Amino acid sequence: MQPAGQPNFAPPNHLVQYAPATGFPVASTNYQYPSPNYTQPAGQVPWSTGLCDCFSDVPNCCITFWFPCITFGQIANIVDRGSVPCEVCAAVYAVIRIFTGCPCFFSCFYRSRMRKEFMLEQRGCNDFCIHFLCEDCALCQEYRELRNRGFHMYHGWHGNMAGQQNQGGPMPMPPAPVMESGMKR
């Protein structure tokens, strides 16, 4: 059971347990996988969405395609637990992308850290190959994973933690902007 006031890193409770001090998931040994032929490493859980499920979140897919530095900055801020601002991570990513054309040398480390922190399985290729071959898809998948675990990406780490402390749960979505109809003179 997850301690009160801790962030909701919501893998299914039957797959993991939470460490009392940090609230982060630890391996559960009680779960029996459905098929005897299924050989997932102990304690690892699958990603909540597939690598090529980019269009399940079209706005993020478009932002990541045109401005991947924004998506990367949001991911890095959460993975770094707010120690580095989103804007700094996005700027570093943009500079690396502009001057080398290969930001995967930088971004793959965040995927590895995220996989280890949330005990996500590694399928097929290693993290560098996934980012090298499918950079935008990898960023979209990481963004969706954090969002599906209860993070509001536009609030960043500190905003999510403040929302957890102030409300005892995830921060609410901001209301949609009110659009006035028609032209006025």
Side-chain angles (χ1 to χ4, degrees):
M1 188 70 185
Q2 180 177 350
Q6 293 294 320
N8 181 13
F9 297 126
N13 286 333
H14 66 280
L15 291 178
V16 295
Q17 298 172 347
Y18 294 89
T22 63
F24 287 105
V26 295
S28 171
T29 57
N30 301 332
Y31 183 70
Q32 297 293 321
Y33 289 103
S35 166
N37 298 331
Y38 187 76
T39 58
Q40 183 178 19
Q44 291 192 336
V45 295
W47 290 81
S48 62
T49 60
L51 182 63
C52 296
D53 290 343
C54 299
F55 291 109
S56 65
D57 184 356
V58 174
N60 175 252
C61 180
C62 293
I63 288 172
T64 303
F65 179 76
W66 293 109
F67 305 105
C69 56
I70 293 173
T71 302
F72 176 78
Q74 292 173 328
I75 293 166
N77 181 261
I78 299 291
V79 173
D80 280 339
R81 297 182 182 195
S83 64
V84 181
C86 171
E87 297 82 5
V88 172
C89 293
V92 169
Y93 181 91
V95 167
I96 291 172
R97 187 174 183 118
I98 290 168
F99 289 111
T100 68
C102 235
C104 60
F105 291 111
F106 182 52
S107 60
C108 70
F109 293 112
Y110 282 89
R111 184 178 183 89
S112 296
R113 287 180 58 197
M114 190 172 149
R115 261 191 334 92
K116 288 176 186 161
E117 187 166 317
F118 297 117
M119 296 183 314
L120 296 166
E121 68 183 0
Q122 180 175 345
R123 295 184 126 182
C125 300
N126 65 28
D127 297 325
F128 173 77
C129 289
I130 289 174
H131 272 265
F132 182 74
L133 299 172
C134 311
E135 177 76 13
D136 292 343
C137 293
L139 291 174
C140 285
Q141 183 187 33
E142 293 159 17
Y143 180 94
R144 289 189 312 271
E145 185 68 33
L146 291 171
R147 189 196 62 217
N148 291 344
R149 288 176 178 268
F151 287 103
H152 296 285
M153 301 301 286
Y154 46 84
H155 290 299
W157 175 262
H158 295 297
N160 277 283
M161 294 304 104
Q164 291 281 333
Q165 291 173 356
N166 293 339
Q167 301 170 354
M171 290 189 71
M173 298 289 284
V178 177
M179 302 296 284
E180 293 186 27
S181 62
M183 290 179 44
K184 294 182 180 179
R185 289 192 171 202

